[in-house]
Amino acid sequence: MFVSPFHDLEEKLGANFGEFAGWEMPMSFSSYAEEHMSVRTSVAFFNLSHMGRLRVKGNSKEFEMLIAKEVSKANIGNMIGPTAFLNDKAGFKDDVMVYKVTEDEWLIVTNAINREKIISWIKSNSNLDVEDLTFKYCMIAIQGRKLEDVLGKVELRPLEFRLNTNFLGYDVFLLSRSGWTGENGLEVWATIDVGRKIIMDLVKMGIRPAGLIARDSLRQEMGFVLYGEDIDENVTPVEARYWVFSLDKDFIGKSSLIERIRSGVDKIRIGFKMKKGERVIPRHLSKIYSISNEVGYVTSSIFSPYLNRVIGMGYVNPKYFYLGYNLAVDIRGKQYDIKIDEFPFI
Amino acid sequence: MSEIKVGRYIVLTDRLYTETDEWVKISSVDNVAIVGITDYAQKKLRDIVGIELPQVQREVKAGESVGVIESVKAAADIFSPLSGVILEVNTKLLEHPEIINKDPYGEGWIFKLRASSLAKEKEKLLSPEKYIEKIKGG
């Protein structure tokens, strides 16, 4: 198992560690609910060093064939994403962020669980040169509604990034303006030594560390999917309602994707809320019912500290996808109402 | 009362424990036992977001599941350490289940029961020392 490069430092900060995608990472520091609310009302930082960070170089036409969105149309210095690598059946190989460095060089952030798979998939489907930067640099995200009050004005526009720049007085490899929480955010790639100094400075500035559970609850409020839970190789962007592709270009999986759009899907991703005060959580693959017919399953669910109720997402037969409609979910043999709602929940 | 630290977990010496990570504090005067989950259990479960409490006046057997704790990680059964009748439940936890994370041995108590076979069943509970052995390395 890989270990967080800041394990000792995080332990001192009170981290509670857990396994995620083959990494031992901080799950929470105090309570995920408090960390979550810090992002929604103030600012917090996350160690995302487990995510895959790749540098890909080579012929842009070859790269375009691998990726579902048009990279050639994007400006240099901008992020393209989220987008995806699809298999030839249009299922998700991975959902990724792409950073366009030059016309023939890109940086890619993959899900931790898919890093090795994507490296070999790129190599087997192209002549592109792939370099794994995951262990060379750490990745820290600073996210929150009051980001600029605490850190000062952010010069980057949303989805812009800079290489070999300065952050808090340190030389960092990359600074980007993005996030996965729905709030204003920055992401930094730096050497582990610099990352350690940045973390210590952030803590001194009163910015609290947050763990992967808060990251999970924040993304669920926004309706963002998690690879391995909500999407995988058997789910296409159409079923997931995850618009990560452009049909104006060619890419692996495009013909299957078009066929899927033409023929329609037999399941569609929904978001749902449970009643306030109902403090039970349907787990991954809990069954969803409509008037005693099994119509789908849950993929993610959590207690939302912001909404003070349980929220989640899953897939149902599209015949039952009516916004505002009440379905039921089975939890330990008992049925609980869930109301279909649209993302984002906040 | 004193507390013993086992790694990052705390075990109190004034009570007994179960293999399923409940603690029991027994009053020898009236055979009333207060039950909760241990610091080890709450840390393993991580953030607790909900609880199903047993019905007051319910008759329970030792080892029987009497409630459920919902955490961000999993749903976990709460087992009664002793046979008896449920006298009282901590209704504060319905609104604020996170109290169990903050104070598992105090404000986070879960239920009280009047034990019916205390002498016999007490033998089967774990002493603090035995419980420490159980969680070591966990």
Side-chain angles (χ1 to χ4, degrees):
Chain A
M1 181 146 55
F2 299 114
V3 177
S4 159
F6 306 117
H7 194 281
D8 56 331
L9 188 53
E10 286 161 336
E11 201 160 35
K12 281 183 195 147
L13 293 170
N16 170 359
F17 293 92
E19 194 265 335
F20 180 75
W23 284 74
E24 189 174 53
M25 296 297 290
M27 291 292 137
S28 58
F29 290 82
S30 49
S31 94
Y32 89 99
E34 288 169 13
E35 292 159 24
H36 178 114
M37 291 307 290
S38 289
V39 174
R40 291 275 179 254
T41 61
S42 174
V43 62
F45 71 88
F46 300 84
N47 169 13
L48 304 180
S49 301
H50 61 299
M51 301 193 79
R53 289 174 294 287
L54 312 179
R55 190 204 312 259
V56 179
K57 284 183 188 173
N59 185 319
S60 61
K61 282 187 182 152
E62 277 200 275
F63 189 64
E64 285 286 6
M65 273 308 288
L66 300 183
I67 200 97
K69 250 183 197 167
E70 275 174 303
V71 178
S72 59
K73 281 191 180 170
N75 292 329
I76 288 172
N78 267 353
M79 300 164 76
I80 302 113
T83 179
F85 296 122
L86 302 178
N87 61 30
D88 53 14
K89 290 181 178 154
F92 284 96
K93 278 276 173 202
D94 197 12
D95 64 325
V96 294
M97 292 298 288
V98 175
Y99 298 66
K100 187 167 172 180
V101 179
T102 66
E103 292 299 341
D104 53 13
E105 182 180 343
W106 312 270
L107 296 167
I108 297 171
V109 175
T110 76
N111 284 285
I113 200 168
N114 291 331
R115 178 177 56 88
E116 288 172 350
K117 179 179 85 173
I118 290 303
I119 292 172
S120 45
W121 185 76
I122 293 174
K123 285 181 176 169
S124 63
N125 284 282
S126 73
N127 293 307
L128 296 164
D129 179 50
V130 187
E131 186 187 358
D132 189 357
L133 303 178
T134 308
F135 301 94
K136 186 173 180 187
Y137 300 119
C138 66
M139 182 166 165
I140 299 164
I142 306 139
Q143 300 279 308
R145 214 160 273 189
K146 296 212 168 141
L147 178 86
E148 288 180 295
D149 294 355
V150 179
L151 281 187
K153 189 165 164 49
V154 177
E155 298 299 335
L156 295 169
R157 289 194 306 271
L159 297 183
E160 229 179 23
F161 73 92
R162 261 182 223 143
L163 290 186
N164 302 313
T165 187
N166 189 283
F167 180 67
L168 298 179
Y170 302 106
D171 292 329
V172 299
F173 174 67
L174 180 146
L175 181 68
S176 60
R177 185 163 174 201
S178 68
W180 205 47
T181 59
E183 303 298 342
N184 208 350
L186 289 175
E187 277 156 356
V188 186
W189 303 16
T191 59
I192 311 299
D193 283 351
V194 168
R196 188 174 288 272
K197 287 175 187 160
I198 288 174
I199 287 176
M200 289 193 286
D201 282 2
L202 292 173
V203 171
K204 274 184 206 148
M205 291 163 85
I207 301 179
R208 72 186 301 167
L212 294 186
I213 299 172
R215 192 168 156 80
D216 194 41
S217 55
L218 288 158
R219 67 97 188 165
Q220 286 194 48
E221 284 180 351
M222 299 309 295
F224 299 153
V225 297
L226 175 64
Y227 197 95
E229 294 283 309
D230 311 304
I231 57 168
D232 57 35
E233 294 237 12
N234 299 311
V235 173
T236 74
V238 189
E239 289 143 343
R241 296 194 292 134
Y242 191 21
W243 312 122
V244 291
F245 58 84
S246 163
L247 294 180
D248 296 335
K249 57 166 271 191
D250 278 333
F251 56 92
I252 295 174
K254 182 183 172 184
S255 57
S256 297
L257 193 63
I258 289 172
E259 183 51 36
R260 193 62 65 107
I261 294 167
R262 278 202 185 118
S263 63
V265 291
D266 55 13
K267 63 181 178 190
I268 194 92
R269 186 168 66 102
I270 61 157
F272 64 80
K273 288 177 181 165
M274 293 185 71
K275 284 182 184 159
K276 274 206 169 166
E278 205 84 89
R279 283 175 169 265
V280 284
I281 298 177
R283 306 289 162 176
H284 186 67
L285 302 184
S286 294
K287 290 174 178 172
I288 296 176
Y289 293 87
S290 172
I291 320 172
S292 72
N293 282 335
E294 189 182 328
V295 299
Y297 53 91
V298 172
T299 51
S300 284
S301 183
I302 200 156
F303 182 79
S304 156
Y306 191 87
L307 298 169
N308 199 28
R309 70 200 308 169
V310 174
I311 58 168
M313 63 180 79
Y315 287 87
V316 299
N317 183 320
K319 284 196 291 189
Y320 299 91
F321 183 21
Y322 313 117
L323 281 180
Y325 180 57
N326 271 351
L327 293 165
V329 65
D330 181 279
I331 303 172
R332 296 185 292 275
K334 197 176 156 190
Q335 295 211 346
Y336 296 84
D337 280 350
I338 55 173
K339 190 188 278 290
I340 300 182
D341 206 338
E342 192 52 298
F343 304 118
F345 290 144
I346 65 160
Chain B
M1 176 186 73
S2 62
E3 61 176 55
I4 301 169
K5 280 203 164 173
V6 190
R8 49 195 280 267
Y9 311 115
I10 291 168
V11 174
L12 301 189
T13 56
D14 66 341
R15 56 199 78 193
L16 299 170
Y17 296 87
T18 65
E19 288 284 352
T20 47
D21 303 307
E22 287 87 12
W23 57 260
V24 202
K25 199 173 171 188
I26 302 165
S27 157
S28 54
V29 180
D30 53 7
N31 285 0
V32 171
I34 309 175
V35 180
I37 65 164
T38 65
D39 184 48
Y40 171 83
Q42 69 86 9
K43 283 191 171 120
K44 284 281 172 193
L45 282 167
R46 300 208 177 92
D47 294 75
I48 292 166
V49 296
I51 189 162
E52 282 176 33
L53 295 167
Q55 284 285 330
V56 173
Q57 291 188 337
R58 174 177 161 187
E59 217 169 292
V60 298
K61 291 213 169 75
E64 187 179 336
S65 167
V66 294
V68 178
I69 289 179
E70 288 277 0
S71 81
V72 289
K73 193 175 167 190
D77 283 311
I78 308 161
F79 298 99
S80 182
L82 298 164
S83 303
V85 175
I86 305 284
L87 292 181
E88 195 182 339
V89 293
N90 187 355
T91 52
K92 261 193 207 167
L93 300 178
L94 295 172
E95 274 291 298
H96 296 288
E98 70 279 2
I99 294 172
I100 299 174
N101 290 119
K102 288 180 180 151
D103 190 8
Y105 293 120
E107 291 291 306
W109 66 275
I110 297 172
F111 64 93
K112 293 181 186 174
L113 91 166
R114 189 181 305 281
S116 54
S117 316
L118 188 57
K120 196 173 68 182
E121 291 175 353
K122 204 174 160 182
E123 301 287 302
K124 291 179 185 159
L125 297 173
L126 305 177
S127 64
E129 294 73 26
K130 281 197 174 152
Y131 187 66
I132 287 166
E133 283 305 309
K134 180 189 126 58
I135 64 173
K136 260 187 188 166

